[in-house]
Amino acid sequence: KNMTCGDGGGVSCNDEVLASRLRSLSWYGCDTDTDQRIKADNNLWDYDIKEQGLKYHMNDIVAAVALAQFRYLEEDNERRKAIANIYRQELTKYSPIYSNEGSSSFYFLPMFFPERDKLSKSLRDKGIASSVHYVRNDNLTVFKNFKSFLEGVDSYSSSELTLPIHPCLTDNELGKIVETIKGFFLSC
């Protein structure tokens, strides 16, 4: 999520069995890819699908873009971290600190605000995008039969707001976001 490549993505792991399964699932669940079948001494159509997968692989052009983006990943993540730190420092009066014990790429930073929906509209009215990550799954039609009590989910779902945290966010734009949020709460 933190690296622009257009479409697709990547997964890394240190488990060859899991890596093999992930490769298979990314190509419809096929047990061999086309390159493996071309290099093999059998028919190209000799393959099996042992587990349902989806088309998750990326094409070569998108992969080339992703490879070129790797050189910016660390710098972009550092910028996101700096933005997150400013949000945490400036907005703790209005939003409890989200604690992250480990390291983070800060793809998003959950912030929790009373009057979340009104705040989001106020931001939108000033040309500032915000979002929610993520809505409660068991409120979605496909998962409605799985409704259950989950500690903290309703509180999270009703107050979480994701603010802009992309690496191209300027200091001036960041300042406008922070001041808009402070102004919103001062006027309440």
Side-chain angles (χ1 to χ4, degrees):
K1 288 286 192 174
N2 279 19
M3 194 174 73
T4 302
C5 64
D7 189 24
V11 175
S12 66
C13 66
N14 60 2
D15 179 330
E16 186 50 44
V17 173
L18 178 59
S20 178
R21 180 170 181 236
L22 291 170
R23 280 191 290 275
S24 172
L25 289 173
S26 75
W27 186 236
Y28 306 106
C30 198
D31 64 352
T32 55
D33 64 31
T34 305
D35 191 50
Q36 289 171 317
R37 292 193 309 271
I38 288 171
K39 292 176 181 174
D41 224 7
N42 54 0
N43 297 319
L44 286 176
W45 52 89
D46 286 342
Y47 62 88
D48 192 11
I49 295 178
K50 298 175 182 171
E51 183 177 9
Q52 181 181 349
L54 296 169
K55 182 186 174 288
Y56 287 133
H57 71 287
M58 59 172 60
N59 64 48
D60 291 347
I61 295 169
V62 171
V65 171
L67 287 172
Q69 290 297 318
F70 269 115
R71 75 180 94 180
Y72 306 108
L73 185 58
E74 190 174 329
E75 178 183 340
D76 288 352
N77 286 344
E78 286 300 316
R79 175 63 180 155
R80 283 185 174 90
K81 182 178 182 177
I83 294 167
N85 287 336
I86 289 170
Y87 284 147
R88 287 174 167 165
Q89 291 167 8
E90 296 291 327
L91 301 175
T92 55
K93 181 176 179 181
Y94 314 103
S95 173
I97 295 291
Y98 171 73
S99 176
N100 182 353
E101 299 300 322
S103 64
S104 176
S105 63
F106 294 102
Y107 155 63
F108 76 100
L109 174 68
M111 303 285 295
F112 303 94
F113 297 100
E115 306 291 332
R116 185 239 0 241
D117 296 347
K118 290 179 183 176
L119 173 58
S120 178
K121 182 178 181 334
S122 177
L123 291 166
R124 186 173 46 249
D125 290 347
K126 293 187 175 34
I128 300 168
S130 64
S131 187
V132 172
H133 287 85
Y134 294 89
V135 298
R136 184 176 172 149
N137 285 348
D138 58 4
N139 285 341
L140 302 172
T141 302
V142 70
F143 298 118
K144 69 181 178 187
N145 294 330
F146 299 97
K147 196 78 159 170
S148 64
F149 173 76
L150 299 167
E151 183 84 31
V153 170
D154 289 326
S155 173
Y156 183 103
S157 294
S158 65
S159 63
E160 192 278 333
L161 188 66
T162 304
L163 303 174
I165 195 165
H166 58 86
C168 294
L169 190 68
T170 68
D171 289 343
N172 286 341
E173 292 167 330
L174 180 56
K176 177 183 175 184
I177 295 165
V178 168
E179 292 309 313
T180 300
I181 292 170
K182 288 179 177 180
F184 172 83
F185 284 106
L186 288 174
S187 69
C188 287

PDB file of all heavy atoms in Angstrom, residues 88 95-100 104 106 108-112 156:
ATOM      1  N   ARG A  88      -0.116  13.236  16.093  1.00  0.00           N
ATOM      2  CA  ARG A  88      -0.147  12.790  17.489  1.00  0.00           C
ATOM      3  C   ARG A  88       0.159  13.941  18.453  1.00  0.00           C
ATOM      4  O   ARG A  88      -0.490  14.088  19.479  1.00  0.00           O
ATOM      5  CB  ARG A  88       0.858  11.661  17.702  1.00  0.00           C
ATOM      6  CG  ARG A  88       0.413  10.351  17.090  1.00  0.00           C
ATOM      7  CD  ARG A  88       1.510   9.340  17.206  1.00  0.00           C
ATOM      8  NE  ARG A  88       1.020   8.004  16.907  1.00  0.00           N
ATOM      9  CZ  ARG A  88       1.810   6.982  16.665  1.00  0.00           C
ATOM     10  NH1 ARG A  88       3.124   7.117  16.702  1.00  0.00           N
ATOM     11  NH2 ARG A  88       1.297   5.797  16.401  1.00  0.00           N
ATOM     12  N   SER A  95      -8.090  13.625  20.157  1.00  0.00           N
ATOM     13  CA  SER A  95      -8.121  12.214  19.758  1.00  0.00           C
ATOM     14  C   SER A  95      -7.155  11.426  20.627  1.00  0.00           C
ATOM     15  O   SER A  95      -5.994  11.806  20.765  1.00  0.00           O
ATOM     16  CB  SER A  95      -7.692  12.072  18.289  1.00  0.00           C
ATOM     17  OG  SER A  95      -7.555  10.711  17.930  1.00  0.00           O
ATOM     18  N   PRO A  96      -7.626  10.303  21.201  1.00  0.00           N
ATOM     19  CA  PRO A  96      -6.685   9.482  21.966  1.00  0.00           C
ATOM     20  C   PRO A  96      -5.574   8.962  21.061  1.00  0.00           C
ATOM     21  O   PRO A  96      -5.788   8.753  19.870  1.00  0.00           O
ATOM     22  CB  PRO A  96      -7.543   8.337  22.499  1.00  0.00           C
ATOM     23  CG  PRO A  96      -8.856   8.437  21.841  1.00  0.00           C
ATOM     24  CD  PRO A  96      -8.949   9.738  21.130  1.00  0.00           C
ATOM     25  N   ILE A  97      -4.407   8.782  21.621  1.00  0.00           N
ATOM     26  CA  ILE A  97      -3.264   8.290  20.849  1.00  0.00           C
ATOM     27  C   ILE A  97      -3.470   6.819  20.515  1.00  0.00           C
ATOM     28  O   ILE A  97      -3.792   6.018  21.386  1.00  0.00           O
ATOM     29  CB  ILE A  97      -1.955   8.444  21.650  1.00  0.00           C
ATOM     30  CG1 ILE A  97      -1.649   9.913  21.870  1.00  0.00           C
ATOM     31  CG2 ILE A  97      -0.796   7.744  20.951  1.00  0.00           C
ATOM     32  CD1 ILE A  97      -1.268  10.660  20.634  1.00  0.00           C
ATOM     33  N   TYR A  98      -3.312   6.508  19.263  1.00  0.00           N
ATOM     34  CA  TYR A  98      -3.308   5.112  18.834  1.00  0.00           C
ATOM     35  C   TYR A  98      -1.934   4.555  19.146  1.00  0.00           C
ATOM     36  O   TYR A  98      -0.928   5.057  18.668  1.00  0.00           O
ATOM     37  CB  TYR A  98      -3.602   5.014  17.336  1.00  0.00           C
ATOM     38  CG  TYR A  98      -3.400   3.639  16.762  1.00  0.00           C
ATOM     39  CD1 TYR A  98      -4.305   2.621  17.036  1.00  0.00           C
ATOM     40  CD2 TYR A  98      -2.307   3.373  15.951  1.00  0.00           C
ATOM     41  CE1 TYR A  98      -4.122   1.361  16.519  1.00  0.00           C
ATOM     42  CE2 TYR A  98      -2.124   2.104  15.422  1.00  0.00           C
ATOM     43  CZ  TYR A  98      -3.032   1.108  15.710  1.00  0.00           C
ATOM     44  OH  TYR A  98      -2.852  -0.151  15.186  1.00  0.00           O
ATOM     45  N   SER A  99      -1.897   3.538  19.965  1.00  0.00           N
ATOM     46  CA  SER A  99      -0.617   2.964  20.387  1.00  0.00           C
ATOM     47  C   SER A  99      -0.196   1.870  19.430  1.00  0.00           C
ATOM     48  O   SER A  99      -0.958   0.958  19.132  1.00  0.00           O
ATOM     49  CB  SER A  99      -0.754   2.392  21.799  1.00  0.00           C
ATOM     50  OG  SER A  99       0.438   1.758  22.159  1.00  0.00           O
ATOM     51  N   ASN A 100       0.998   1.985  18.940  1.00  0.00           N
ATOM     52  CA  ASN A 100       1.549   0.960  18.065  1.00  0.00           C
ATOM     53  C   ASN A 100       2.870   0.528  18.671  1.00  0.00           C
ATOM     54  O   ASN A 100       3.849   1.259  18.614  1.00  0.00           O
ATOM     55  CB  ASN A 100       1.751   1.516  16.651  1.00  0.00           C
ATOM     56  CG  ASN A 100       2.279   0.473  15.711  1.00  0.00           C
ATOM     57  OD1 ASN A 100       2.618  -0.634  16.121  1.00  0.00           O
ATOM     58  ND2 ASN A 100       2.350   0.809  14.444  1.00  0.00           N
ATOM     59  N   SER A 104       5.796   0.758  12.119  1.00  0.00           N
ATOM     60  CA  SER A 104       4.669   0.921  11.207  1.00  0.00           C
ATOM     61  C   SER A 104       5.133   1.621   9.946  1.00  0.00           C
ATOM     62  O   SER A 104       6.029   2.458   9.977  1.00  0.00           O
ATOM     63  CB  SER A 104       3.570   1.753  11.879  1.00  0.00           C
ATOM     64  OG  SER A 104       2.508   1.986  10.980  1.00  0.00           O
ATOM     65  N   PHE A 106       2.861   3.304   8.398  1.00  0.00           N
ATOM     66  CA  PHE A 106       1.886   4.387   8.430  1.00  0.00           C
ATOM     67  C   PHE A 106       1.135   4.526   7.111  1.00  0.00           C
ATOM     68  O   PHE A 106       0.950   5.622   6.592  1.00  0.00           O
ATOM     69  CB  PHE A 106       2.525   5.716   8.867  1.00  0.00           C
ATOM     70  CG  PHE A 106       2.987   5.673  10.286  1.00  0.00           C
ATOM     71  CD1 PHE A 106       4.330   5.505  10.590  1.00  0.00           C
ATOM     72  CD2 PHE A 106       2.075   5.756  11.324  1.00  0.00           C
ATOM     73  CE1 PHE A 106       4.752   5.425  11.909  1.00  0.00           C
ATOM     74  CE2 PHE A 106       2.489   5.678  12.638  1.00  0.00           C
ATOM     75  CZ  PHE A 106       3.832   5.510  12.937  1.00  0.00           C
ATOM     76  N   PHE A 108      -1.914   4.034   7.027  1.00  0.00           N
ATOM     77  CA  PHE A 108      -2.910   4.925   7.593  1.00  0.00           C
ATOM     78  C   PHE A 108      -2.677   4.987   9.101  1.00  0.00           C
ATOM     79  O   PHE A 108      -2.022   4.123   9.667  1.00  0.00           O
ATOM     80  CB  PHE A 108      -4.347   4.500   7.245  1.00  0.00           C
ATOM     81  CG  PHE A 108      -4.886   3.331   8.018  1.00  0.00           C
ATOM     82  CD1 PHE A 108      -5.731   3.527   9.099  1.00  0.00           C
ATOM     83  CD2 PHE A 108      -4.581   2.033   7.657  1.00  0.00           C
ATOM     84  CE1 PHE A 108      -6.250   2.456   9.800  1.00  0.00           C
ATOM     85  CE2 PHE A 108      -5.093   0.954   8.347  1.00  0.00           C
ATOM     86  CZ  PHE A 108      -5.927   1.161   9.427  1.00  0.00           C
ATOM     87  N   LEU A 109      -3.183   6.045   9.707  1.00  0.00           N
ATOM     88  CA  LEU A 109      -3.046   6.227  11.154  1.00  0.00           C
ATOM     89  C   LEU A 109      -4.449   6.389  11.715  1.00  0.00           C
ATOM     90  O   LEU A 109      -5.088   7.416  11.483  1.00  0.00           O
ATOM     91  CB  LEU A 109      -2.212   7.468  11.468  1.00  0.00           C
ATOM     92  CG  LEU A 109      -2.120   7.847  12.941  1.00  0.00           C
ATOM     93  CD1 LEU A 109      -1.312   6.808  13.728  1.00  0.00           C
ATOM     94  CD2 LEU A 109      -1.504   9.227  13.096  1.00  0.00           C
ATOM     95  N   PRO A 110      -4.960   5.393  12.424  1.00  0.00           N
ATOM     96  CA  PRO A 110      -6.302   5.549  12.981  1.00  0.00           C
ATOM     97  C   PRO A 110      -6.321   6.659  14.027  1.00  0.00           C
ATOM     98  O   PRO A 110      -5.518   6.660  14.951  1.00  0.00           O
ATOM     99  CB  PRO A 110      -6.597   4.196  13.635  1.00  0.00           C
ATOM    100  CG  PRO A 110      -5.477   3.294  13.297  1.00  0.00           C
ATOM    101  CD  PRO A 110      -4.362   4.113  12.774  1.00  0.00           C
ATOM    102  N   MET A 111      -7.206   7.606  13.842  1.00  0.00           N
ATOM    103  CA  MET A 111      -7.441   8.676  14.815  1.00  0.00           C
ATOM    104  C   MET A 111      -8.896   8.515  15.248  1.00  0.00           C
ATOM    105  O   MET A 111      -9.742   8.091  14.465  1.00  0.00           O
ATOM    106  CB  MET A 111      -7.229  10.053  14.178  1.00  0.00           C
ATOM    107  CG  MET A 111      -5.865  10.283  13.551  1.00  0.00           C
ATOM    108  SD  MET A 111      -4.518  10.573  14.700  1.00  0.00           S
ATOM    109  CE  MET A 111      -4.967  12.107  15.458  1.00  0.00           C
ATOM    110  N   PHE A 112      -9.185   8.844  16.487  1.00  0.00           N
ATOM    111  CA  PHE A 112     -10.525   8.617  17.026  1.00  0.00           C
ATOM    112  C   PHE A 112     -11.095   9.930  17.544  1.00  0.00           C
ATOM    113  O   PHE A 112     -10.516  10.556  18.432  1.00  0.00           O
ATOM    114  CB  PHE A 112     -10.460   7.562  18.141  1.00  0.00           C
ATOM    115  CG  PHE A 112      -9.856   6.280  17.641  1.00  0.00           C
ATOM    116  CD1 PHE A 112      -8.502   6.032  17.789  1.00  0.00           C
ATOM    117  CD2 PHE A 112     -10.640   5.339  16.993  1.00  0.00           C
ATOM    118  CE1 PHE A 112      -7.931   4.864  17.307  1.00  0.00           C
ATOM    119  CE2 PHE A 112     -10.080   4.160  16.504  1.00  0.00           C
ATOM    120  CZ  PHE A 112      -8.726   3.918  16.663  1.00  0.00           C
ATOM    121  N   TYR A 156     -14.706   1.752  17.896  1.00  0.00           N
ATOM    122  CA  TYR A 156     -13.782   2.005  16.785  1.00  0.00           C
ATOM    123  C   TYR A 156     -14.564   2.456  15.557  1.00  0.00           C
ATOM    124  O   TYR A 156     -14.250   3.472  14.938  1.00  0.00           O
ATOM    125  CB  TYR A 156     -12.970   0.741  16.481  1.00  0.00           C
ATOM    126  CG  TYR A 156     -11.927   0.915  15.399  1.00  0.00           C
ATOM    127  CD1 TYR A 156     -10.586   1.047  15.718  1.00  0.00           C
ATOM    128  CD2 TYR A 156     -12.275   0.945  14.043  1.00  0.00           C
ATOM    129  CE1 TYR A 156      -9.618   1.213  14.741  1.00  0.00           C
ATOM    130  CE2 TYR A 156     -11.317   1.114  13.060  1.00  0.00           C
ATOM    131  CZ  TYR A 156      -9.994   1.242  13.412  1.00  0.00           C
ATOM    132  OH  TYR A 156      -9.049   1.410  12.432  1.00  0.00           O
TER     133      TYR A 156
END
